[in-house]
Amino acid sequence: MGAHATYWTDWKDPRVHLFLLVGSLLLIFISVSNKTPTELDAKQSTAAAFKFLHMVDAEEYAQSWEDASAILQKMLTKESWVAQLAKIREMTGPVLERTHDKISYTDAAINAPAGDYVVISFVSKFAFKGYVIETITLLLDKSGQWLVAGYFLK
């Protein structure tokens, strides 16, 4: 990343701040430790994260909400989710490149349901914003599927 990093501190629209705040709540409330996910958890959660990102990149925002965890769906209505993602992508432009950066696992969540969480970050370059960190929090649901519980851009 280095000198090419672009941070989003210049955003003026309070709705974008609200979206990012809500989208990052789980990142704030989840105590991410240095635990490493099992190889299977890492593989499955990373595949789920890429599936989510593919939907967002293809502007399939409604489908990304429908495939998300109940936690995310309770935080934001589908209409709000779609509107906020569309606004963000309007400001960032299309993704030009994306590199997997980090993955961590935790089973300790504060102010969130107990469960297995994986936090995955990507270094991504967008047409209008340059390099950003995309962070996705996934929750292992009762059916054994990793579902998106949060999405944050920095």
Side-chain angles (χ1 to χ4, degrees):
M1 234 174 63
H4 295 80
T6 301
Y7 295 96
W8 297 29
T9 56
D10 59 340
W11 282 13
K12 304 285 188 225
D13 188 343
R15 292 175 297 169
V16 173
H17 289 278
L18 177 62
F19 172 74
L20 292 176
L21 176 65
V22 171
S24 65
L25 279 177
L26 285 175
L27 295 177
I28 294 168
F29 294 129
I30 295 174
S31 171
V32 177
S33 65
N34 290 329
K35 293 181 183 179
T36 303
T38 67
E39 187 175 332
L40 181 60
D41 286 338
K43 184 177 181 178
Q44 291 177 340
S45 61
T46 300
F50 274 115
K51 178 182 174 189
F52 167 79
L53 289 170
H54 177 74
M55 283 188 280
V56 172
D57 293 343
E59 299 180 4
E60 296 172 1
Y61 308 136
Q63 186 64 49
S64 72
W65 184 89
E66 290 174 16
D67 290 354
S69 70
I71 293 171
L72 187 143
Q73 292 173 347
K74 288 178 185 174
M75 284 194 295
L76 292 167
T77 65
K78 184 190 320 187
E79 293 76 20
S80 178
W81 176 254
V82 168
Q84 294 303 322
L85 282 179
K87 177 114 176 136
I88 286 172
R89 282 305 173 100
E90 180 182 313
M91 293 186 325
T92 63
V95 67
L96 301 176
E97 62 185 70
R98 179 178 286 130
T99 304
H100 182 266
D101 186 36
K102 298 176 190 169
I103 184 169
S104 60
Y105 166 84
T106 187
D107 57 5
I110 301 169
N111 292 333
D116 296 314
Y117 294 88
V118 170
V119 180
I120 302 174
S121 64
F122 298 87
V123 177
S124 303
K125 182 177 182 183
F126 289 89
F128 305 149
K129 280 292 184 183
Y131 287 95
V132 301
I133 304 294
E134 287 182 291
T135 304
I136 302 172
T137 302
L138 298 111
L139 170 65
L140 186 63
D141 79 343
K142 294 175 186 175
S143 70
Q145 300 293 313
W146 288 99
L147 302 176
V148 173
Y151 177 55
F152 178 73
L153 302 173
K154 178 179 175 184

